[in-house]
């Protein structure tokens, strides 16, 4: 659960009690003020204004900024975040998030495969890592995967598009 310390002192925000100015909010999240202005221009933030027209950010705005940052870290773009924030429809949310979830699953699988290869190299007792049984198994699997991926089911007899290269 994401918990935010949203208690604000009036001295933090240079103005209205319980609110922050743009500089204080940006500093709190390690952002440049122009980032917050850009998010406002995109419709992601809607700060209140004081009598002098200066932006005033309250607890809800802190939550929105934290949410935007978390979603960006998850790989979502600002346009996607804007659409998500404008919809309460579950089906629409699923339609938007499903491709991103698939992309993340793919990246995680690739990272896990990379980690397995690196750990195999770390644990290899051979001078030449290419002689390690684990390394050779991973390479053979990769060769097999590439042949299967590149097979064109529309070609005659499903012949591979690329030639297989036998390990040395």
């Amino acid at each position: 659960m994401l918990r935010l310390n949203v208690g604000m002192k009036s001295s933090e925000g240079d103005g209205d009690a319980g609110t922050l100015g743009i500089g204080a909010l940006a500093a709190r999240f390690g952002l440049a003020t122009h980032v917050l202005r850009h998010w406002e221009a995109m419709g992601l933030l809607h700060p209140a204004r004081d009598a002098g027209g200066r932006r005033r950010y309250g607890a809800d705005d802190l939550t929105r900024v934290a949410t935007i940052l978390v979603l960006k870290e998850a790989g979502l773009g600002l346009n996607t975040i804007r659409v998500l924030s404008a919809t309460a429809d579950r089906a629409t949310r699923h339609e938007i998030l499903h491709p991103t979830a698939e992309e993340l699953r793919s990246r995680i699988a690739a990272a896990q495969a990379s980690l397995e290869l690196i750990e195999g190299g770390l644990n290899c007792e051979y001078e030449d890592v290419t002689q390690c049984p684990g390394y050779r198994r991973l390479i053979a699997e990769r060769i097999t995967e590439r042949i299967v991926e590149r097979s064109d089911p529309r070609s005659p007899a499903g012949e591979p598009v690329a030639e297989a290269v036998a390990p040395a």
Side-chain angles (χ1 to χ4, degrees):
M1 170 184 250
L2 177 65
R3 292 186 51 100
L4 299 172
N5 179 7
V6 294
M8 296 178 275
K9 302 174 192 165
S10 61
S11 61
E12 282 182 315
D14 304 319
D16 300 339
T19 65
L20 295 172
I22 192 168
L25 180 66
R28 188 171 207 146
F29 288 99
L31 300 169
T33 56
H34 71 86
V35 171
L36 297 174
R37 288 186 195 98
H38 176 67
W39 292 353
E40 182 182 349
M42 290 190 68
L44 292 168
L45 293 175
H46 308 283
R49 301 284 179 150
D50 66 12
R54 292 178 296 269
R55 293 168 178 85
R56 303 306 309 168
Y57 297 92
D60 287 345
D61 297 306
L62 266 77
T63 300
R64 275 191 216 99
V65 170
T67 300
I68 292 166
L69 291 171
V70 166
L71 292 173
K72 282 177 55 63
E73 288 170 8
L76 298 176
L78 293 177
N79 287 329
T80 302
I81 294 169
R82 184 181 63 230
V83 173
L84 276 174
S85 66
T87 185
D89 180 54
R90 185 173 189 264
T92 302
R93 183 178 69 242
H94 281 237
E95 183 180 315
I96 293 167
L97 292 177
H98 185 74
T100 302
E102 288 301 314
E103 172 63 25
L104 283 172
R105 285 184 193 99
S106 176
R107 289 185 3 220
I108 289 167
Q112 286 175 329
S114 296
L115 180 59
E116 185 179 345
L117 180 64
I118 298 300
E119 287 177 340
L122 289 171
N123 296 324
C124 178
E125 296 178 9
Y126 291 80
E127 285 297 318
D128 179 0
V129 72
T130 65
Q131 299 306 308
C132 289
Y135 174 86
R136 295 178 76 77
R137 178 185 50 79
L138 288 171
I139 297 303
E141 287 173 4
R142 178 59 60 96
I143 291 169
T144 302
E145 288 171 6
R146 294 293 182 202
I147 291 171
V148 171
E149 287 175 5
R150 300 186 92 179
S151 292
D152 185 349
R154 294 169 293 181
S155 69
E159 296 174 22
V161 174
E163 293 291 322
V165 178

